[in-house]
Amino acid sequence: MAKLYFHYSTMNAGKSTLLLQAAHNYQERGMESYLLTAQFDNRAGDARIGSRIGIGREADTFSLSDDLFYKIKKRINDAPCACVFIDEAQFLSHEQVWQLARAVDDLKIPIMCYGLRVDFQGKLFPGSATLLALSDEMREIKTICHCGKKATMVVRQDENGVALTDGAQVQIGGNEAYVSLCRKHWREKVDK
Ligand SMILES: [Zn+2]
């Protein structure tokens, strides 16, 4: 039975690596999969899902204007496809997660979403909130804070290591760095 999966974590936990590994497992068994990632600039199409350990694969992109049910349906009609993988799933809209749920139910294809749970202010991303509500199966990808506890939060900090508490949920191309922390150390860092 096809299911909607949500693999969530904080930053730098190795989500893309796990996505690529899972897609590779399908490929080894002679099954093709459809890879999608968020479109951050104006170029639709040829994006790449890359991981920090150096592996990567070509991927299609999604933007907020896409109907993902139809996009997946078209891909399935064009060529055999055993599974859909979505990276940066936190950037899906509420409606798009429903489109994915419909694709799982009506097209009977498994969809594996990988994304961040909360932003640097400790708030759920819209895509992640809806995935937490609708997914058939969820799995936390764990990483650790500098203290050794599980990291569940992320801080956005400037080049001097000062935590930023304001700003847009998505910031592309700045000099900010993201650090994953446990809640206690995140609270200390952002003064909460
Ligand atoms: Zn800690």
Side-chain angles (χ1 to χ4, degrees):
M1 194 192 74
K3 288 180 180 174
L4 178 60
Y5 298 84
F6 184 32
H7 303 256
Y8 64 91
S9 72
T10 183
M11 292 286 281
N12 304 324
K15 284 185 301 297
S16 301
T17 307
L18 288 170
L19 183 157
L20 291 166
Q21 176 66 54
H24 180 75
N25 292 348
Y26 271 90
Q27 205 173 16
E28 268 190 333
R29 287 162 181 76
M31 292 186 276
E32 287 304 315
S33 45
Y34 181 35
L35 275 60
L36 280 160
T37 188
Q39 181 185 331
F40 287 118
D41 50 31
N42 296 323
R43 289 174 311 128
D46 46 295
R48 186 175 167 82
I49 296 174
S51 81
R52 290 176 303 135
I53 61 167
I55 51 172
R57 225 176 109 172
E58 302 300 310
D60 198 0
T61 58
F62 67 86
S63 67
L64 288 177
S65 59
D66 283 323
D67 183 320
L68 294 179
F69 179 84
Y70 286 105
K71 204 171 169 95
I72 290 166
K73 189 175 180 188
K74 181 176 183 309
R75 172 62 183 78
I76 293 173
N77 289 339
D78 286 349
C81 178
C83 186
V84 178
F85 289 93
I86 301 186
D87 203 10
E88 310 286 6
Q90 70 271 17
F91 297 132
L92 295 163
S93 69
H94 173 76
E95 289 73 21
Q96 284 175 322
V97 177
W98 274 104
Q99 291 158 12
L100 296 180
R102 279 178 55 217
V104 168
D105 295 343
D106 298 351
L107 307 176
K108 299 180 173 51
I109 184 149
I111 300 182
M112 309 264 218
C113 298
Y114 294 74
L116 300 174
R117 193 177 59 114
V118 294
D119 66 11
F120 72 106
Q121 293 178 311
K123 293 175 184 157
L124 286 170
F125 283 93
S128 307
T130 313
L131 280 164
L132 289 167
L134 299 187
S135 292
D136 298 298
E137 283 198 29
M138 282 177 276
R139 185 178 142 207
E140 183 172 26
I141 301 167
K142 296 188 178 74
T143 189
I144 54 168
C145 178
H146 58 75
C147 69
K149 278 185 71 175
K150 185 172 81 177
T152 56
M153 311 295 283
V154 63
V155 285
R156 177 189 286 169
Q157 53 188 38
D158 66 15
E159 51 277 295
N160 302 314
V162 176
L164 304 169
T165 51
D166 292 319
Q169 194 169 40
V170 186
Q171 191 115 341
I172 312 285
N175 288 322
E176 297 82 8
Y178 291 89
V179 180
S180 294
L181 297 170
C182 71
R183 188 178 58 230
K184 178 171 184 282
H185 285 121
W186 183 85
R187 285 177 40 237
E188 278 176 14
K189 190 86 181 173
V190 305
D191 220 2
K192 202 151 187 150

